[in-house]
Amino acid sequence: MIRPTRVLGGAVLAGLAAPSRAQCLHTETKKSLDSIKKANANISLTGKNSLVVGGTSGIGEGIAKRLAKAKVSVTIAGRNETRGREIVTELYQLSGEEDGKIQHRFIACDTSTMKNIDRFCASLEDELKTENKTLDFLVLTQGIATTQGRTETSEGIDQKLQLHYFGRMYFIERLLPLLRQSSTGGKVLTILSAGVHKPYDKFREDFEVKTNYSLSNAANSAGMYNDLCLEAFAKQPENQRVAFIHAAPGTVSTNWGKDLPTPLPTLIKIFKPFLRTLDDCGEAMSDSLLRDIPSGVHFIEQDGNPTKKMAMADYEEAQQFVWQETHKLFNQTLSKK
């Protein structure tokens, strides 16, 4: 049975008027990949639990392996069961089993629909509660690289927006109760385009990018909505111990773009030797998970350093609008039979 989404009422929405807790951390010395590797080399987080969505390949795989190296128990969610089980074996090779204290696993999940995500989260929540465990890290990396126009899922949502925004925010919505119970404060990391995207100016009249669809509008709206919704989550009083991180990974050597039309895959392959490796990307993107950071919202670039916050007029009003429209879509989609 599909569990209905929890509608956030006026009391919570009113809380969005509170001052933003977005973090800049400009007082920190700018980090490099080498300094991150040195600082985190001996970190051990046995007892911590993570979920990496999209962890069967690419950046998600890199992050999952770095967390395992730090002895974090990793659950990978993805579609490729064969590859998922292979990665679980590799995770154990990196972490060891520590007498059963570390447990890695793969759980199949097609994140292209909200109802699939709802079922997955309900099952995971029940399992962790039964095992008396919390969720410490939620990592969201699912995505798609394509030049096709607007292509709707079976629920009527554009595929790119479903994977890059709506599905991610619903994972957060459903799993926040577990993250809040983390002894050190839970952390959410979404890998997309912090500091890179531009505002999507037509969000009020075309929120789902139906009539103004283009590759740039799809990308900018997803990035913008991630920024705004993460800050909205952070403003809720019950999330005051949770850190929300939006990161831009830079150019990374993955299988990204293999399904793009010719000659783009060939061009991407030519430049692969000059791109950041998965291991290095996993190291940099995991830094904010492995070390202590303040709660609130963080926007970071490829080396884990703070990046600029998106500038736009009527930021607070846009945040309220995007928050409300997002939850309206959750309700409408999950209520359909």
Side-chain angles (χ1 to χ4, degrees):
M1 178 180 293
I2 300 297
R3 294 185 179 183
T5 182
R6 300 183 303 284
V7 183
L8 298 186
V12 174
L13 290 174
L16 298 186
S20 171
R21 293 190 294 123
Q23 302 292 327
C24 296
L25 306 181
H26 291 306
T27 57
E28 290 188 351
T29 302
K30 190 170 183 179
K31 297 173 292 188
S32 66
L33 181 60
D34 287 340
S35 68
I36 290 173
K37 288 181 177 180
K38 183 177 180 180
N40 296 338
N42 298 315
I43 285 180
S44 178
L45 297 175
T46 303
K48 295 294 184 184
N49 300 298
S50 66
L51 170 63
V52 181
V53 183
T56 55
S57 64
I59 295 170
E61 177 184 343
I63 294 173
K65 289 179 176 178
R66 183 59 186 93
L67 291 176
K69 186 178 178 182
K71 301 190 181 301
V72 175
S73 293
V74 180
T75 296
I76 292 175
R79 293 182 300 173
N80 189 333
E81 184 169 353
T82 299
R83 183 56 187 145
R85 299 196 183 284
E86 291 173 351
I87 293 175
V88 167
T89 300
E90 295 173 23
L91 297 182
Y92 276 116
Q93 292 171 350
L94 290 167
S95 68
E97 296 189 24
E98 299 288 318
D99 296 324
K101 294 179 181 179
I102 299 175
Q103 297 181 338
H104 307 307
R105 60 180 174 171
F106 167 81
I107 303 178
C109 181
D110 179 356
T111 61
S112 66
T113 72
M114 303 297 290
K115 290 181 180 178
N116 285 345
I117 295 172
D118 197 62
R119 281 188 287 264
F120 174 92
C121 291
S123 177
L124 181 67
E125 186 176 26
D126 288 343
E127 287 182 21
L128 292 179
K129 285 182 177 179
T130 299
E131 298 168 358
N132 197 28
K133 294 179 180 179
T134 61
L135 183 64
D136 300 287
F137 309 133
L138 171 59
V139 182
L140 302 158
T141 69
Q142 67 268 38
I144 185 173
T146 174
T147 57
Q148 67 190 21
R150 179 181 171 89
T151 304
E152 294 188 351
T153 68
S154 60
E155 296 173 334
I157 303 171
D158 176 64
Q159 287 182 357
K160 293 189 185 71
L161 286 174
Q162 166 65 20
L163 293 171
H164 298 160
Y165 175 64
F166 290 112
R168 296 185 184 208
M169 295 307 111
Y170 194 62
F171 267 110
I172 299 172
E173 172 81 5
R174 290 292 275 109
L175 297 177
L176 265 171
L178 293 171
L179 289 159
R180 295 182 193 119
Q181 295 173 21
S182 172
S183 61
T184 54
K187 294 178 181 177
V188 175
L189 171 62
T190 177
I191 305 293
L192 195 63
S193 60
V196 176
H197 60 267
K198 299 177 181 178
Y200 168 57
D201 294 332
K202 298 186 181 296
F203 69 94
R204 292 180 184 86
E205 62 264 34
D206 188 22
F207 176 66
E208 293 185 55
V209 199
K210 291 184 175 181
T211 58
N212 295 280
Y213 195 90
S214 67
L215 295 181
S216 61
N217 281 347
N220 287 331
S221 60
M224 169 183 161
Y225 295 171
N226 268 265
D227 282 357
L228 296 176
C229 206
L230 289 182
E231 284 207 76
F233 275 123
K235 288 180 179 180
Q236 297 176 35
E238 61 267 35
N239 296 330
Q240 62 183 341
R241 296 177 61 249
V242 181
F244 299 87
I245 307 144
H246 183 190
T251 51
V252 185
S253 181
T254 70
N255 288 326
W256 183 92
K258 63 183 178 63
D259 296 323
L260 293 175
T262 305
L264 293 178
T266 301
L267 293 174
I268 293 171
K269 187 175 182 179
I270 291 172
F271 285 100
K272 268 197 171 185
F274 305 99
L275 306 181
R276 175 166 284 187
T277 67
L278 280 184
D279 286 345
D280 285 348
C281 179
E283 185 77 50
M285 293 294 96
S286 298
D287 179 55
S288 57
L289 302 175
L290 300 179
R291 65 186 178 93
D292 292 332
I293 62 172
S295 59
V297 181
H298 304 264
F299 305 107
I300 62 174
E301 44 87 88
Q302 64 182 13
D303 286 327
N305 294 298
T307 189
K308 60 185 178 180
K309 178 178 175 179
M310 177 186 62
M312 65 176 295
D314 301 322
Y315 191 96
E316 294 298 323
E317 185 276 332
Q319 185 180 96
Q320 286 271 359
F321 181 88
V322 168
W323 177 262
Q324 292 170 357
E325 291 300 309
T326 297
H327 284 82
K328 185 186 298 183
L329 182 141
F330 289 168
N331 292 337
Q332 291 173 346
T333 302
L334 291 164
S335 64
K336 294 177 183 177
K337 295 182 179 180

